[in-house]
């Protein structure tokens, strides 16, 4: 018989009853392995159930485990085939156990396995039980048990005990008394409940709130379920009121007995809803089974909780009851939500019972879940009513605030709607009367009026008509309509053919420049020349001025003065750090948020086609993958091209030839060559002490006092304090630091005035002098004018340098370390070098690059030089040239001095943190090396600058004006300059040359004669090479003969303060006369 049953199992007969009988026979007669495999392949839950009932005797626990484990493979099948997902096998296995238990699980042979997890036990009497690792062993020793979730009157395990499936509640606990709808988004939970309900089970559930709200519940809490006509669901997701938990311990101890009234599973989305009627409070006593992938809800043992009794004579309870009733009536009037709920349940409720009213109020409340759970758990009647009273007060306060906000919003919306309705009616009436026009017609008329008095080029006029026609065909709601409208707004905003009338009075222009700036006569003269030519030619001739100079000298303010002198509109924009070409040329209209470039914006803002456009910081243009703005400026600043400038956004030619462009820069080295070629550079070197003094008195002191609110009657700045401020605090080329110092003084005086006013003291005038200047602006940063105030030691020479901040003094220091065995011929001194331990170094201890170096004459020993001071590449090369020439020059003197050839030289330029570069320190370095070698100091108060070649020629350098200003600031009275820079020096104003003797040399021989005292150094053994030296000595009064000639000469103003003579005796009076005639004397 067993073999026969086995064959039936293998064949897998198609008849369900036969399959069930075969499986039952296999289970009954011991062929369990094959029968269980066959049962797992059955497609219908009823067939599985029949097989289990038929072979339920003598089934070992292993078979139950196998059945539960196969639920996952069977969960996609149902009685109708491969349809809706339903854990049919797990339900069949569980319900079979329930039925077997109900039929007589107390008969002999039933024993729990205790193996942990969800297992199913069967004995020879057909009884089954459920056990888990969390179940107590005592649960199996009871006399009888009820079916979990079946409801009805069943036998209880223990006094007042019942077994139910626990439904975890997330949001709030369920209070007895009225229906509630619970939304469940977990498909497994709703499917499990639906399967139980199809078997007429799960009529009652235990509703227990979770101790903590799951973190993912609030994030997925969107939408509500709306059942449309025909039963279709019109929601996208469910509110998560209930779900599953991992352990029974996550649930609260006190819950509610829920009677399942209706259960609905949605076909289109995951989850469903459960309509329940909370019946009574229950307490969780034990865990029968834990949740598992197959049985998603835990089975727990529960007992009923008796309601507390109320003393009818307790006045406090009556007061709380009346208070709750009154607050509830107010809440119903203030909140529409509470009103709807109250009207639905009030007819079935006994509001006279305080405890039932408390449950009703708590069930309708929107309070926190913890507060509601506290009401559910509270066993004392008075305490429960007090907690409910607190809750209803909070709900009433919240409802009132919401009602006020709603009323305000409705009033605002009602007002706006009424205004919109009246406006629409007004437009309709006006259209009927022919007064009003369509929106598009109004826009078209507006754009036509905007260009009515403008002269558009033919191409721009053609584009305008095309865009207007396009605008008339588009719908106002379309995106293209707004793009077209924005384009027309920009196109009509350009001042086509509109120009500002210029000032034609050259005296007025000169007056404006003098009012705004002190000094800078050469700059003003050049600007007036430029303006005069534009007056005569009635055009700016495409000239682009570039004001170059250090910060704080007034470059930007000069641009404003030019616009004021010409009565033109002024527009300034900075291009420092600009990388994107679109900022100049605009964006293509295909991009979102496209707009024109700076040039078109300038014309729109100034409403003129001939403004003064100041392009600031043009030497700091950027360049990257987005383009090169300097290349775009080639067209903008080119007079041959900017008459047809085409912006990328407008895409029509715009005339920029009438605009006056003024650029500013600190240096011109970083400006690209093609762009610099289109500019006329006007250099502003800076201000000397006398100019700063005048600027402070005439401009800065009145301006800072007015800006700070300090009247001149309350502040007096003495001349001595102002001079010290300029000399020791603000020594830069410009006056920006001087302005900051004056502002600081005014702020401190303003604070003093306010304090005196609050204390009702008499306003005293503040006098700032030398004694209290440090109290206002601190200690001076420049304590001495020069690094060496007196006569400098041998090896130190003062040079002159040009920087971005103006001119500066540059000291060169040189010192030598003698080699072993070397001896200075001039002095007979042997220089000995020791190592760190005091041991005398041998020749093999010297650095590799110094060992065995030959001199230029073939003898051994050759010198070397170390250069420090953060010098650039050009200046480092210049130092090497200076060393080579100094060695050759020492040989030419024929004094037998081999110091430079046999000594390690260290040449340093102080202020090592400041980068330095350039060739202009060549003669200065050579003089320092010769001074070191000859042990002779440089003549006092002498400064020099010039590039040196290997043949000794002195070449031209730049920044003469800045360097002369720096020499005056440092107190140098004698300057040695290149011969080719003589014209630059003569162009300086008289007050810059006063007290300075300038020597212009063509060869280093003349530098040697000027730099050293003839009595301290060997004389030149030959005549000076190069062109003759020229000396210009400026004094307060010129010689009488030269003064008379200057009065008779048209160029006398340039020579009146100059005395020119030859310093070389070999040059006769004829050369001097030629020289005098050449300079116009």
């Amino acid at each position: 018989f067993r073999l026969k049953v086995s064959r039936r199992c293998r064949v897998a007969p198609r008849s369900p009853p036969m399959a069930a009988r075969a499986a039952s026979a296999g289970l009954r007669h011991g062929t369990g392995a094959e029968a269980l495999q066959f049962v797992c392949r059955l497609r219908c839950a009823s067939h599985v159930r029949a097989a289990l009932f038929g072979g339920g005797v003598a089934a070992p626990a292993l078979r139950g485990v196998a059945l539960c484990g196969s639920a996952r493979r069977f969960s996609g099948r149902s009685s109708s085939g491969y349809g809706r997902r339903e854990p049919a096998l797990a339900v069949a296995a569980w319900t079979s156990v329930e039925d077997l238990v109900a039929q007589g699980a107390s008969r002999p042979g039933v024993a729990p396995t205790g193996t942990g997890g969800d297992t199913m036990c069967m004995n020879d009497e057909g009884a089954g039980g459920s056990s888990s690792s969390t179940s107590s062993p005592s649960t199996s020793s009871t006399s009888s048990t009820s079916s979990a979730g079946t409801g009805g009157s069943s036998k209880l395990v223990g006094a007042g005990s019942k077994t139910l499936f626990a439904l975890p509640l997330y949001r709030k606990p369920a209070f007895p008394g009225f229906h509630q709808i619970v939304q469940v988004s977990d498909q497994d939970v709703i499917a499990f409940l639906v399967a139980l309900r199809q078997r007429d089970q799960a009529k009652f559930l235990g509703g227990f709130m979770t101790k903590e709200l799951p973190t993912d519940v609030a994030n997925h809490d969107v939408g509500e379920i709306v059942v449309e006509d025909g039963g279709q669901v019109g929601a996208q997701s469910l509110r998560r009121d209930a779900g599953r938990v991992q352990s029974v311990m996550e649930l609260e101890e006190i819950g509610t007995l829920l009677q399942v009234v209706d259960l609905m599973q949605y076909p289109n989305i995951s989850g469903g809803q459960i309509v329940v009627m909370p019946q009574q409070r229950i307490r969780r006593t034990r865990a029968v089974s834990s949740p598992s992938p197959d049985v998603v809800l835990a089975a727990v043992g529960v007992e009923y909780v008796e309601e507390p009794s109320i003393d009818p004579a307790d006045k406090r309870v009556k007061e709380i009851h009346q208070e709750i009733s009154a607050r509830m009536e107010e809440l119903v009037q203030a909140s529409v939500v509470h009103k709807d709920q109250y009207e639905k349940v009030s007819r079935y409720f006994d509001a006279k019972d305080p405890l039932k009213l408390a449950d009703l109020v708590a069930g309708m409340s929107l309070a926190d879940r913890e507060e509601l759970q506290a009401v559910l758990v509270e066993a004392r009647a008075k305490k429960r009513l007090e907690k409910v009273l607190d809750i209803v007060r909070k709900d009433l306060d919240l409802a009132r605030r919401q009602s006020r906000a709603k009323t305000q919003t409705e009033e605002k919306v009602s007002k706006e709607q009424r205004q919109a309705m009246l406006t629409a009616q007004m437009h309709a009436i006006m259209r009927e009367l022919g007064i009003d026009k369509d929106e598009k017609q109004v826009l078209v008329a507006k754009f036509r009026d905007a260009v009515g008095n403008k002269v558009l080029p033919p191409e721009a006029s053609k584009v305008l008509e095309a865009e207007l026609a396009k605008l008339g065909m588009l719908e106002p709601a379309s995106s293209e309509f707004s793009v077209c409208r924005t384009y027309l707004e920009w196109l009509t905003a350009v001042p086509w053919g509109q120009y500002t009338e210029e000032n034609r009075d050259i005296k007025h222009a000169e007056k404006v420049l003098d009012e705004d700036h002190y000094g800078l006569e050469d700059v003003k003269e050049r600007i007036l020349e430029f303006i005069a030519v534009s007056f005569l030619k009635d055009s700016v001739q495409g000239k682009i001025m570039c004001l170059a100079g250090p910060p704080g000298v007034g470059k930007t303010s000069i641009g404003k003065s030019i616009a004021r002198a010409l009565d033109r509109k002024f527009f300034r924009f900075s291009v420092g750090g600009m990388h994107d070409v679109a900022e100049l040329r605009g964006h293509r209209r295909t991009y979102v948020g496209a707009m024109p470039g700076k040039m078109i914006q300038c014309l729109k803002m100034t409403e003129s086609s001939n403004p003064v456009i100041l392009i600031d910081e043009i030497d700091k243009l950027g360049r990257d993958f987005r383009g090169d703005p300097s290349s775009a400026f080639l067209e903008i600043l080119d007079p041959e091209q900017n008459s047809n400038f085409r912006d990328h956004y407008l895409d029509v030619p715009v005339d920029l030839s009438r605009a006056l462009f003024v650029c500013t820069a600190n240096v011109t080295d970083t400006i690209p060559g093609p762009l610099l070629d289109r500019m006329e550079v006007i250099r502003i070197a800076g201000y000397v002490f006398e100019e700063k003094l005048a600027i402070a008195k005439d401009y800065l002191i009145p301006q800072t006092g007015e800006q700070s609110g300090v009247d001149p009657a309350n502040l007096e700045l003495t001349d001595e304090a102002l001079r010290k401020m300029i000399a020791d605090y603000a020594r830069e080329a410009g006056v920006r630091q001087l302005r900051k110092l004056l502002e600081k003084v005014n702020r401190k005086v303003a604070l003093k005035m306010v304090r005196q006013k609050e204390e009702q003291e008499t306003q005293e005038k503040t006098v700032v002098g030398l004694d209290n200047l440090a109290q206002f602006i601190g200690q001076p940063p420049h304590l001495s004018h020069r690094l060496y105030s007196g006569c400098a030691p041998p090896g130190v020479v003062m040079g002159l340098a040009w920087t971005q901040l103006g001119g500066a003094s540059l000291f060169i220091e040189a010192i030598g370390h003698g080699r072993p065995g070397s001896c200075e011929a001039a002095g007979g001194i042997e220089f000995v070098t020791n190592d760190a331990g005091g041991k005398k170094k041998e020749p093999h201890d010297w650095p590799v690059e110094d060992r065995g170096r030959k001199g230029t004459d073939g003898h051994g020993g050759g010198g070397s030089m170390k250069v420090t001071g953060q010098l650039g590449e050009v200046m480092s090369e210049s130092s090497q040239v200076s060393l080579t020439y100094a060695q050759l020059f020492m040989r030419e003197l024929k004094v037998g001095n081999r110091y430079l050839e046999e000594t390690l030289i260290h040449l340093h330029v102080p202020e090592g943190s400041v980068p330095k570069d350039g060739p202009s320190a060549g003669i200065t370095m050579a003089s320092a090396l010769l001074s070191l070698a000859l042990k002779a100091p440089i003549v006092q108060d002498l400064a020099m600058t010039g590039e040196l070649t290997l043949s000794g020629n002195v070449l031209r350098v730049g920044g003469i004006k800045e360097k002369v200003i720096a020499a005056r600031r440092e107190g140098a009275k004698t300057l040695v300059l290149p011969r080719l820079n003589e014209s630059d020096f003569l162009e300086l104003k008289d007050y810059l040359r006063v007290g300075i003797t300038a020597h212009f040399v063509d060869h280093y021989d003349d530098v040697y004669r000027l730099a050293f005292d003839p009595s301290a150094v060997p004389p030149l053994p030959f005549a000076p090479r190069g062109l003759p030296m020229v000396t210009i000595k400026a004094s307060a009064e010129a010689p009488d003969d030269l003064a008379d000639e200057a009065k008779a000469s048209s160029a006398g103003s340039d020579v009146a303060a100059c005395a020119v003579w030859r310093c070389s005796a070999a040059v006769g009076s004829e050369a001097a006369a030629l020289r005098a005639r050449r300079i116009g004397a």
Side-chain angles (χ1 to χ4, degrees):
F1 180 74
R2 293 179 179 176
L3 294 177
K4 184 177 180 180
V5 172
S6 300
R7 284 197 299 271
R8 289 183 178 180
C9 292
R10 294 192 188 97
V11 173
R14 297 180 180 272
S15 174
M18 185 181 296
R21 288 195 297 271
S24 299
L27 290 172
R28 186 178 295 110
H29 294 282
T31 56
E34 293 180 348
L36 286 175
Q37 293 177 6
F38 181 74
V39 169
C40 292
R41 291 198 294 271
L42 295 178
R43 296 187 178 183
C44 180
S46 61
H47 299 164
V48 176
R49 182 177 174 81
L52 292 172
F53 275 122
V57 294
L62 182 61
R63 301 174 189 179
V65 177
L67 284 176
C68 292
S70 62
R72 295 187 184 91
R73 199 162 56 85
F74 198 78
S75 59
R77 305 175 182 178
S78 65
S79 58
S80 60
Y82 292 88
R84 191 169 66 246
R85 290 180 61 86
E86 182 181 42
L89 182 58
V91 172
W94 176 258
T95 54
S96 299
V97 172
E98 292 176 350
D99 293 341
L100 292 175
V101 171
Q103 292 173 9
S106 61
R107 288 177 289 182
V110 179
T113 60
T115 57
D118 291 330
T119 60
M120 194 171 297
C121 306
M122 298 181 183
N123 55 23
D124 56 350
E125 299 294 334
S130 175
S131 175
S132 69
S133 59
T134 60
S135 302
S136 173
S138 62
T139 60
S140 61
S141 61
T142 57
S143 59
S144 63
T145 182
S146 64
S147 60
T150 60
S153 58
S154 58
K155 297 181 180 179
L156 300 178
V157 182
S161 178
K162 184 180 181 67
T163 302
L164 296 172
F165 284 119
L167 180 64
L169 302 177
Y170 293 152
R171 305 266 171 208
K172 55 188 297 187
F175 288 90
F178 58 95
H179 290 79
Q180 294 185 11
I181 299 177
V182 180
Q183 303 286 355
V184 180
S185 61
D186 196 320
Q187 180 62 30
D188 293 339
V189 174
I190 201 69
F192 182 76
L193 294 177
V194 169
L196 290 178
R197 188 171 180 79
Q198 288 176 353
R199 296 193 51 78
D200 196 21
Q201 301 203 4
K203 294 181 180 180
F204 289 91
L205 299 173
F208 296 91
M209 194 179 73
T210 57
K211 294 181 180 179
E212 295 181 0
L213 182 67
T215 56
D216 59 337
V217 170
N219 298 332
H220 298 79
D221 206 15
V222 292
E224 292 184 358
I225 295 302
V226 178
V227 181
E228 301 174 351
D229 296 340
Q232 298 295 327
V233 179
Q236 299 298 326
S237 61
L238 294 177
R239 187 180 70 249
R240 301 182 65 180
D241 294 336
R244 66 166 77 185
V245 292
Q246 301 295 328
S247 173
V248 180
M249 302 307 296
E250 299 180 19
L251 303 177
E252 295 284 353
E253 183 180 357
I254 301 298
T256 313
L257 178 66
L258 305 178
Q259 180 182 359
V260 181
V261 179
D262 189 16
L263 181 62
M264 181 178 179
Q265 183 176 9
Y266 298 113
N268 298 329
I269 58 176
S270 175
Q273 69 179 15
I274 311 172
V275 181
V276 298
M277 170 61 80
Q279 298 289 341
Q280 186 178 355
R281 285 175 172 80
I282 58 176
R283 175 180 287 106
R284 176 172 55 85
T285 58
R286 58 191 177 86
V288 178
S289 66
S290 296
S292 67
D294 302 320
V295 183
V296 294
L297 296 182
V300 297
V302 299
E303 64 180 9
Y304 295 108
V305 177
E306 297 295 336
E307 290 293 331
S309 60
I310 297 179
D311 185 6
D314 193 340
K315 295 182 180 181
R316 177 57 181 164
V317 172
K318 291 182 180 180
E319 292 176 358
I320 298 176
H321 183 204
Q322 294 175 359
E323 182 74 13
I324 293 176
S325 299
R327 293 291 177 265
M328 192 63 191
E329 292 178 0
E330 296 179 10
L331 180 61
V332 169
Q333 297 296 327
S335 175
V336 179
V337 177
H338 288 82
K339 182 178 181 180
D340 294 340
Q341 294 182 5
Y342 186 77
E343 290 178 352
K344 292 179 181 179
V345 302
S346 60
R347 66 188 68 176
Y348 308 109
F349 239 85
D350 184 9
K352 297 180 179 180
D353 188 346
L355 295 180
K356 290 186 178 180
L357 179 61
D359 288 343
L360 173 62
V361 173
M364 296 172 55
S365 175
L366 302 177
D368 295 337
R369 59 198 302 271
E370 290 80 7
E371 296 180 1
L372 298 178
Q373 180 65 24
V375 173
L376 183 69
V377 172
E378 184 59 54
R380 293 168 294 179
K382 187 183 297 185
K383 290 292 184 181
R384 183 186 300 179
L385 293 176
E386 290 176 353
K387 293 181 179 179
V388 172
L389 181 59
D390 293 338
I391 290 176
V392 74
R393 285 174 178 172
K394 294 180 181 178
D395 288 346
L396 180 59
D397 183 60
L398 177 62
R400 287 173 176 173
R401 291 199 303 267
Q402 291 177 348
S403 179
R404 286 195 298 267
K406 181 181 178 182
T407 303
Q408 295 174 359
T409 305
E410 289 178 351
E411 290 177 356
K412 182 178 179 181
V413 172
S414 177
K415 182 179 179 181
E416 293 177 353
Q417 289 178 349
R418 183 171 178 271
Q419 185 177 1
M421 181 182 65
L422 293 176
T423 304
Q425 292 177 357
M426 182 183 65
H427 285 310
I429 296 172
M430 295 179 69
R431 280 196 298 270
E432 290 292 334
L433 297 176
I435 301 175
D436 194 11
K437 297 181 180 180
D438 185 67
E439 181 182 359
K440 292 188 290 186
Q441 296 178 358
V442 174
L443 283 176
V444 172
K446 174 185 174 183
F447 291 139
R448 291 192 181 277
D449 293 341
V451 296
N453 57 347
K454 298 179 181 179
V455 182
L456 273 72
E459 184 175 350
S461 179
K462 183 178 178 180
V463 171
L464 177 64
E465 294 297 332
E467 291 294 329
L468 288 176
K470 179 181 177 182
L471 183 69
M473 294 184 295
L474 294 173
E475 291 295 330
S478 64
S479 59
E480 186 66 21
F481 183 85
S482 61
V483 174
C484 183
R485 177 178 178 175
T486 305
Y487 177 78
L488 286 172
E489 289 176 351
W490 278 104
L491 186 62
T492 56
V494 176
W496 303 101
Q498 293 183 338
Y499 302 97
T500 304
E501 185 178 355
E502 292 186 2
N503 169 50
R504 295 286 179 173
D505 189 359
I506 193 68
K507 293 183 178 180
H508 171 73
E510 187 174 1
K511 179 182 178 182
V512 169
L513 292 177
D514 290 337
E515 288 177 354
D516 294 344
H517 296 85
Y518 178 85
L520 303 178
E521 282 78 8
D522 50 347
V523 178
K524 296 178 183 177
E525 189 73 17
R526 181 64 192 91
I527 294 174
L528 291 175
E529 293 172 1
F530 183 85
I531 295 175
V533 173
S534 65
F535 287 171
L536 295 177
K537 300 292 293 184
D538 197 19
S539 67
V540 296
Q541 291 187 341
K543 296 296 183 181
I544 313 300
M545 289 189 294
C546 179
L547 305 176
V553 296
K555 301 183 294 296
T556 303
S557 59
I558 288 177
K560 295 180 181 179
S561 299
I562 294 174
R564 197 162 73 90
L566 296 176
D567 288 341
R568 288 195 186 188
K569 301 292 184 64
F570 178 75
F571 182 81
R572 171 194 172 273
F573 70 98
S574 176
V575 296
M578 180 183 291
H579 294 270
D580 196 354
V581 178
E583 294 189 37
L584 297 175
R585 289 184 169 274
H587 304 82
R588 303 285 183 184
R589 273 201 291 169
T590 55
Y591 297 109
V592 177
M595 61 184 303
K598 287 291 185 181
M599 296 297 105
I600 304 300
Q601 296 178 30
C602 164
L603 298 181
K604 178 185 177 182
M605 294 180 63
T606 58
E607 298 180 352
S608 173
S609 296
N610 62 339
V612 175
I613 303 177
L614 179 67
I615 305 173
D616 215 352
E617 308 293 348
I618 199 170
D619 57 328
K620 300 175 181 63
L621 279 171
R623 182 178 183 180
D624 60 4
F625 65 93
R626 288 169 288 188
D628 183 9
S630 62
S631 300
F633 273 118
L634 295 180
E635 178 186 2
I636 296 174
L637 302 182
D638 193 341
E640 301 297 331
Q641 303 181 44
N642 59 11
S643 59
N644 291 307
F645 173 73
R646 190 176 291 268
D647 186 84
H648 287 166
Y649 181 80
L650 295 182
D651 200 22
V652 292
V654 180
D655 186 11
L656 297 178
S657 60
R658 300 290 296 273
L660 176 58
F661 292 95
V662 180
C663 304
T664 66
N666 294 126
V667 294
T668 58
D669 300 340
T670 56
I671 302 177
L675 182 59
L676 186 63
D677 183 61
R678 287 164 169 77
M679 303 178 184
E680 183 170 352
V681 179
I682 301 177
R683 299 190 179 276
I684 305 177
Y687 302 104
V688 294
F689 179 86
E690 293 79 7
E691 291 176 331
K692 288 185 178 181
L693 190 63
I695 292 172
K697 291 181 178 180
D698 298 341
Y699 298 91
L700 299 183
I701 293 179
Q703 290 176 5
T704 54
E706 183 180 357
Q707 293 174 359
S708 304
V710 179
D711 296 331
N714 297 323
L715 173 62
E716 179 184 353
L717 184 64
T718 62
D719 290 346
E720 294 79 7
L722 183 60
R723 290 176 179 274
K724 182 175 180 59
M725 188 184 297
I726 297 173
D728 294 346
Y729 290 85
R731 299 179 59 187
E732 77 284 355
V735 293
R736 185 168 296 164
Q737 181 65 22
L738 181 59
R739 173 186 284 274
K740 293 179 181 179
L741 294 172
L742 293 173
E743 290 175 349
K744 190 174 182 179
V745 172
N746 280 273
R747 287 196 302 269
K748 290 186 177 296
V749 174
L751 177 60
K752 180 180 178 182
M753 292 172 57
V754 172
R755 288 176 175 172
Q756 290 178 352
K757 184 177 180 179
E758 291 181 352
E759 296 175 359
Q760 297 181 354
E761 297 180 359
T762 305
Q763 296 285 343
E764 297 180 357
K765 186 176 183 179
T766 303
V767 179
V768 180
L770 290 177
D771 53 345
N772 61 349
L773 180 62
Q775 299 176 5
F776 289 88
I777 57 177
Q779 297 298 326
H782 310 286
L783 297 179
S784 64
H785 290 276
R786 292 164 58 175
L787 184 62
Y788 297 93
S789 56
C791 182
V796 178
V797 182
M798 182 173 69
L800 299 175
W802 177 91
T803 66
Q804 297 184 10
L805 301 178
S809 61
L810 189 72
F811 282 89
I812 307 295
E813 299 177 333
I815 192 170
H817 298 275
R819 292 182 180 278
S822 64
C823 179
E824 183 182 7
I829 302 175
E830 180 180 1
F831 293 88
V832 180
T833 304
N834 299 333
D835 58 10
K839 181 181 178 181
K840 183 177 180 180
K841 284 190 176 181
E842 300 299 333
H844 57 77
D845 295 327
W846 289 88
V848 177
E849 62 271 16
D850 299 332
R851 233 182 286 155
R853 181 174 294 177
K854 299 294 182 180
T856 54
D857 60 350
H859 300 284
S864 63
M865 182 171 64
K866 177 182 179 181
V867 181
T868 57
Q870 200 173 349
L871 308 184
E873 183 177 355
V874 176
M875 198 168 184
S876 298
E877 293 177 354
S878 180
S879 65
Q880 298 296 327
V881 172
S882 301
L883 176 62
T884 301
Y885 182 77
Q887 292 174 348
L888 295 175
F889 191 81
M890 289 296 294
R891 293 181 188 173
E892 291 175 349
L893 289 179
K894 298 180 180 180
V895 294
N897 189 331
R898 301 179 58 83
Y899 181 83
L900 297 178
E901 299 177 8
E902 299 178 353
T903 307
L904 293 176
I905 305 297
H906 186 176
L907 189 142
H908 176 66
V909 182
E911 298 185 11
S913 62
V914 180
K916 311 170 189 68
D917 203 0
S920 63
I923 62 174
T924 311
M925 292 181 180
S927 300
L929 295 174
L930 292 176
S931 173
L932 179 65
L934 297 174
K935 297 294 183 181
I938 300 295
V939 175
Q940 190 174 356
D941 296 335
L942 181 140
M944 61 182 68
T945 181
E947 181 179 356
L948 181 65
T949 66
L950 286 174
S951 59
N953 292 325
V954 182
L955 303 183
R956 180 190 182 98
V957 294
I960 293 299
K961 183 176 181 180
E962 290 84 351
K963 293 177 180 179
V964 171
I965 293 174
R968 288 180 55 85
R969 186 170 61 243
E970 298 295 337
K973 300 178 181 179
T974 304
L975 301 182
V976 178
L977 304 175
R979 176 74 178 269
L980 297 178
N981 289 113
E982 180 183 356
S983 59
D984 299 329
F985 183 80
L986 292 176
E987 290 179 356
L988 302 179
K989 295 299 179 181
D990 296 341
Y991 63 85
L992 292 178
R993 303 196 301 253
V994 170
I996 293 179
T997 301
H999 303 276
F1000 299 93
V1001 299
D1002 185 60
H1003 197 273
Y1004 187 79
D1005 294 347
D1006 293 327
V1007 178
Y1008 177 76
R1009 296 168 53 199
L1010 294 170
F1012 297 99
D1013 185 0
S1015 62
V1017 295
L1020 284 176
F1022 44 79
R1025 291 163 287 190
L1027 296 177
M1029 178 179 63
V1030 176
T1031 299
I1032 299 178
K1033 181 177 181 181
S1035 58
E1037 296 180 0
D1040 294 339
D1041 53 350
L1042 288 181
D1044 294 337
E1045 292 183 15
K1047 294 178 182 179
S1049 174
S1050 60
S1053 59
D1054 289 338
V1055 192
C1058 300
V1060 183
W1061 70 88
R1062 295 289 173 180
C1063 291
S1064 174
V1067 182
S1069 60
E1070 182 179 358
L1074 291 174
R1075 172 64 187 162
R1077 285 197 297 272
R1078 187 175 70 81
I1079 66 172

